[in-house]
Amino acid sequence: MNNIDYLVVSSTIDFSTDLVCYRLLKGNKKFYRINRDEFTKYKIIVDFQSKQLKISIGSESYIADFEKLKGIYYRAPVFLRTQSKNTLSVEEQLERSQWSSFLRNLILFENAVWINNPVDTYRAENKMYQLLMAKKCGMNIPDTHVTNSLDVIKEENLYIVKSLDTALFYDVEKRIELFTYSNVVSGRELKDYDLHAAPVFIQEFLNPKVDCRITYIMGKMFPFQILKRGEGVYGDWRFDKEKLEYIPFILPETEKQKILSMMSALNLNFGGIDLALVDGKYYFIEVNPTGEWGWLENSTGCEISKSIADALCLEGQ
């Protein structure tokens, strides 16, 4: 039996998790990585008598004590945003729903440092709630409406239109997954749309702007400006993610304090925060509690993975 101090919850293809696990290995930490796409390979027992989680795979077994586990790096999504249930067998639906519930129930490790607790992630992933908290903490936000009505639209304006939640769909006929990005749309074009089926985010179009990604880990921040050929990106920068420049910059102390306040209000130890810099003024766009950052470390050499591993182990705190 191997007693572990840290648990990593992720998937086999998550590059960011690979980087954190490398740091934990380098620090000789006793941890185990459980991948949600390999659940059927494990034999798992939650023993309430001994207050232990027991994980076995092959001839190896690992034990996490309810009260003694020191930290959990939780990279699993809280919301299931994959194929429609109509494309899944009953067995697949059962497997996915019950393992998802199992992961949420890991909050029984009350004494562990969480990056991030799934309860807090669930709440913080709600974009309207994010905006409310950001505004309460003194951050600027774009003029925003969440609506299925065209009454707020002015034909002469440009808007950013995006889904209320991450929109990932499965086209049964074409057998492909579909993902939506934020789009720049004129008010005149929007007037031709039918929004009654579902509400959407409609925000003022900030342009020209410089997108900023701040990776936050328990008070420490890695701020980068996102540029294309030295200039700000028009619209959604994620379209050309691999072709962009990520330039470290100094975030003003006033903005740092607002972020600290917001992340405390959201009870998040980690987040990928998107800001837009317009005419010297920073606007909060969103925070992703399970945001990607591996590409930043890979392309810039910044040590986000080390900061996550240190925070998980409470080193230097």
Side-chain angles (χ1 to χ4, degrees):
M1 289 285 186
N2 300 290
N3 290 294
I4 60 171
D5 293 323
Y6 304 96
L7 183 65
V8 176
V9 182
S10 187
S11 67
T12 54
I13 58 172
D14 191 84
F15 176 59
S16 297
T17 303
D18 295 343
L19 295 173
V20 172
C21 287
Y22 168 76
R23 296 289 183 176
L24 292 173
L25 283 169
K26 193 174 180 181
N28 295 314
K29 303 302 179 184
K30 294 188 291 184
F31 75 97
Y32 188 70
R33 174 177 177 170
I34 184 169
N35 295 308
R36 64 183 187 273
D37 53 337
E38 293 187 320
F39 277 138
T40 55
K41 294 182 179 180
Y42 306 115
K43 188 185 294 181
I44 293 177
I45 299 173
V46 180
D47 188 335
F48 284 89
Q49 285 61 245
S50 62
K51 294 185 178 179
Q52 292 178 331
L53 166 65
K54 301 174 182 178
I55 305 170
S56 299
I57 182 166
S59 60
E60 295 292 322
S61 295
Y62 302 85
I63 294 177
D65 189 282
F66 287 5
E67 297 176 357
K68 296 179 182 178
L69 192 74
K70 295 178 181 179
I72 300 178
Y73 185 45
Y74 190 91
R75 283 281 296 170
V78 173
F79 295 108
L80 282 176
R81 301 184 179 99
T82 49
Q83 292 125 319
S84 162
K85 289 182 179 179
N86 293 331
T87 68
L88 301 175
S89 68
V90 172
E91 183 179 353
E92 288 171 324
Q93 292 177 52
L94 176 67
E95 178 185 322
R96 288 156 55 83
S97 66
Q98 297 312 298
W99 281 117
S100 179
S101 178
F102 168 77
L103 291 179
R104 292 194 299 272
N105 272 275
L106 290 179
I107 59 173
L108 55 80
F109 289 101
E110 297 179 291
N111 298 329
V113 173
W114 279 87
I115 303 178
N116 284 307
N117 187 300
V119 173
D120 299 317
T121 297
Y122 184 93
R123 178 178 57 192
E125 280 193 329
N126 291 281
K127 288 189 174 70
M128 288 193 287
Y129 184 69
Q130 289 182 15
L131 286 172
L132 177 64
M133 290 299 103
K135 195 166 186 178
K136 278 188 175 182
C137 294
M139 304 181 84
N140 302 305
I141 66 171
D143 290 343
T144 304
H145 294 88
V146 176
T147 181
N148 69 337
S149 167
L150 295 171
D151 293 349
V152 299
I153 303 303
K154 295 180 180 178
E155 290 192 5
E156 65 274 16
N157 290 353
L158 288 175
Y159 297 94
I160 285 285
V161 179
K162 54 187 176 182
S163 57
L164 192 55
D165 183 30
T166 299
L168 182 61
F169 306 105
Y170 186 76
D171 187 316
V172 178
E173 292 182 0
K174 295 181 180 179
R175 296 186 179 182
I176 56 172
E177 285 192 335
L178 306 172
F179 179 79
T180 63
Y181 290 95
S182 300
N183 291 286
V184 181
V185 183
S186 70
R188 190 167 291 104
E189 289 176 285
L190 268 176
K191 287 289 186 179
D192 294 330
Y193 292 176
D194 182 0
L195 302 181
H196 285 92
V200 293
F201 258 96
I202 298 179
Q203 290 184 321
E204 68 171 312
F205 178 47
L206 300 175
N207 188 63
K209 64 171 171 56
V210 173
D211 291 289
C212 306
R213 165 58 70 92
I214 292 86
T215 303
Y216 173 99
I217 306 111
M218 291 182 76
K220 188 170 185 177
M221 302 181 206
F222 291 83
F224 286 89
Q225 290 187 343
I226 301 170
L227 305 175
K228 186 174 185 178
R229 293 189 288 274
E231 298 183 350
V233 180
Y234 183 91
D236 193 331
W237 59 269
R238 293 174 298 173
F239 282 121
D240 293 317
K241 192 174 178 180
E242 305 303 323
K243 302 177 182 179
L244 303 177
E245 305 146 26
Y246 304 99
I247 311 299
F249 75 103
I250 298 174
L251 189 67
E253 191 61 34
T254 53
E255 299 305 317
K256 285 185 180 179
Q257 291 304 315
K258 292 173 186 176
I259 288 174
L260 286 169
S261 179
M262 180 191 69
M263 296 301 277
S264 176
L266 293 172
N267 203 31
L268 295 177
N269 287 328
F270 169 87
I273 301 162
D274 289 326
L275 304 179
L277 178 60
V278 182
D279 293 329
K281 193 173 179 179
Y282 289 91
Y283 289 82
F284 172 80
I285 305 301
E286 66 178 347
V287 55
N288 187 339
T290 56
E292 294 292 341
W293 51 266
W295 96 94
L296 271 176
E297 181 160 327
N298 191 45
S299 60
T300 68
C302 66
E303 295 191 321
I304 295 174
S305 61
K306 183 178 185 303
S307 290
I308 292 174
D310 287 350
L312 195 67
C313 304
L314 285 178
E315 295 177 6
Q317 301 297 311

